[in-house]
Amino acid sequence: MFKHILLPTDGSAISSAIIQKTIAFAKESNATVTAVHVIAPFHVLTAHADMLEATRDEYLRDSQQHAQRYLDDIEKAAGEMGVQCKTVICTDDQPYEQIIETARLHGCDLICMASHGRRGVKGMLLGSETQKVLTHSQIPVLVFR
């Protein structure tokens, strides 16, 4: 069925909660996993506190360290279940675009993502990367709640 699964992570609790489920699904499908984390580029004018307090180099170093930690957790879980896993770190202002592009570049045939469960006006106003991937991806997307 599915042979190569993309597992994006933003390091959030909801994103981390689907790691085991996705890897178990990959094992059952005899699929490989590519885990991806998208870092927001550094901007001088921003509302993100971590960018306001850091220099460009500090921000990039810290972001890379966080990304690697998130991806190491996925790689470790995959290894424990005997699933082949590789990791990718990307930088983009639009994470959903990079998630779709990474899936395409790596030949993934499924994207597994978490849903934050926002509904109504809050969901419409805040949006979500999962919703954007669902809307724009030509590759099937499996959403875990």
Side-chain angles (χ1 to χ4, degrees):
M1 187 183 222
F2 298 109
K3 295 298 173 199
H4 194 166
I5 299 170
L6 184 74
L7 176 55
T9 183
D10 62 4
S12 66
I14 190 79
S15 180
S16 297
I18 71 160
I19 292 171
Q20 294 297 327
K21 292 176 184 177
T22 300
I23 293 172
F25 181 72
K27 184 173 179 72
E28 289 174 23
S29 303
N30 198 28
T32 61
V33 172
T34 295
V36 63
H37 178 80
V38 182
I39 297 170
F42 183 84
H43 295 285
V44 175
L45 300 174
T46 183
H48 294 283
D50 51 346
M51 285 187 213
L52 289 173
E53 297 174 359
T55 66
R56 180 182 307 272
D57 290 340
E58 289 171 330
Y59 170 76
L60 292 174
R61 184 185 63 246
D62 290 346
S63 296
Q64 287 280 339
Q65 288 173 347
H66 284 101
Q68 195 59 57
R69 189 170 41 241
Y70 305 147
L71 295 173
D72 286 348
D73 289 345
I74 295 172
E75 205 167 32
K76 180 182 176 196
E80 289 171 355
M81 292 182 124
V83 173
Q84 185 181 359
C85 179
K86 59 184 166 186
T87 62
V88 178
I89 299 173
C90 305
T91 303
D92 200 310
D93 272 324
Q94 300 295 331
Y96 81 93
E97 290 177 351
Q98 194 60 55
I99 289 166
I100 294 168
E101 182 64 9
T102 300
R104 188 188 67 73
L105 287 174
H106 290 270
C108 298
D109 52 7
L110 179 68
I111 302 170
C112 290
M113 297 185 75
S115 169
H116 289 272
R118 294 184 188 110
R119 289 191 158 87
V121 174
K122 185 176 182 180
M124 190 171 70
L125 292 175
L126 294 177
S128 76
E129 295 308 312
T130 301
Q131 182 63 40
K132 292 173 191 170
V133 170
L134 278 166
T135 303
H136 295 92
S137 179
Q138 304 268 327
I139 298 167
V141 181
L142 175 60
V143 179
F144 290 92
R145 294 206 67 193

